[in-house]
Amino acid sequence: MKIAIGCDHIVTDVKDKLKEALIQNGHQILDVGTYDFVRTHYPIFGQKIAEAVVHKKCDFGIAICGTGVGISNSAQKIKGARVALIRDLSAAKIARKQYNANIIAFGGRITGLGIMEEAVDIFINQKFTGDQKLVDFLDGIVKENKEVSFAKELADWEKGKYHD
Ligand code: RB5
């Protein structure tokens, strides 16, 4: 599978460990950052993960911030992203089976790596067997992608000028 993964600065180490485990399991990873522990903002990475999935650069996405709340909400704003904030294995299964979620999110300060690794495995291998009409309804709730103006932050980030 090709998987987009991203996080904010307080869980970069968690993201790197999960990424390493996924590579060991034969997955191809698109790491959209962040790559260090310098203060940044989770919506930047939620948006990047969701866009990689929605634009079909990746099969699935993994989003991690401290609680998982900020980055999952951010990714959810992108039309076509169906994000599940997961803390247990049964929800990881149902998120795919019934809701056809395409991004799994975690609180890296809340959920342990062991659960994350297993949850991702369950999530990406579970087939969707739910009601497609409901999924279409969900996708239809977001009418358009508004241009969220993180363009300046992203440009500054690329130039190495980023300051909190
Ligand atoms: C740090 O910015 C922290 O607020 C963030 O990682 C997350 O916990 C938000 O939901």
Side-chain angles (χ1 to χ4, degrees):
M1 299 273 183
K2 189 152 186 204
I3 301 172
I5 193 166
C7 65
D8 73 357
H9 58 288
I10 70 164
V11 288
T12 306
D13 49 344
V14 176
K15 184 256 290 167
D16 287 345
K17 282 181 188 151
L18 183 56
K19 174 179 151 185
E20 196 45 50
L22 290 165
I23 291 169
Q24 294 296 321
N25 287 339
H27 298 292
Q28 237 185 303
I29 302 298
L30 173 66
D31 185 346
V32 302
T34 191
Y35 306 110
D36 56 28
F37 299 96
V38 179
R39 178 89 167 86
T40 182
H41 302 290
Y42 51 76
I44 296 170
F45 305 99
Q47 182 178 6
K48 285 185 176 204
I49 296 158
E51 287 179 346
V53 173
V54 167
H55 297 149
K56 304 205 181 310
K57 287 187 196 150
C58 293
D59 303 301
F60 294 106
I62 302 174
I64 314 169
C65 70
T67 61
V69 173
I71 202 162
S72 61
N73 268 283
S74 313
Q76 194 74 273
K77 308 296 182 208
I78 303 298
K79 188 171 174 60
R82 293 180 298 277
V83 188
L85 174 56
I86 293 301
R87 296 199 176 96
D88 63 273
L89 302 180
S90 43
K93 182 180 170 115
I94 291 167
R96 287 282 310 134
K97 193 171 155 69
Q98 290 187 17
Y99 307 107
N100 205 9
N102 48 19
I103 297 173
I104 187 166
F106 299 107
R109 291 279 179 97
I110 292 177
T111 303
L113 258 174
I115 296 280
M116 287 190 211
E117 285 182 32
E118 211 169 325
V120 169
D121 196 50
I122 289 168
F123 186 81
I124 64 179
N125 287 304
Q126 174 64 49
K127 293 258 174 298
F128 169 61
T129 59
D131 184 346
Q132 183 59 44
K133 240 176 143 177
L134 278 176
V135 173
D136 292 343
F137 192 132
L138 270 179
D139 287 347
I141 292 171
V142 181
K143 301 290 182 209
E144 60 186 86
N145 285 334
K146 286 190 190 153
E147 272 307 314
V148 186
S149 59
F150 271 100
K152 185 186 175 305
E153 284 81 356
L154 286 168
D156 285 350
W157 181 263
E158 298 300 335
K159 287 183 213 151
K161 285 186 186 169
Y162 201 92
H163 299 290
D164 190 25

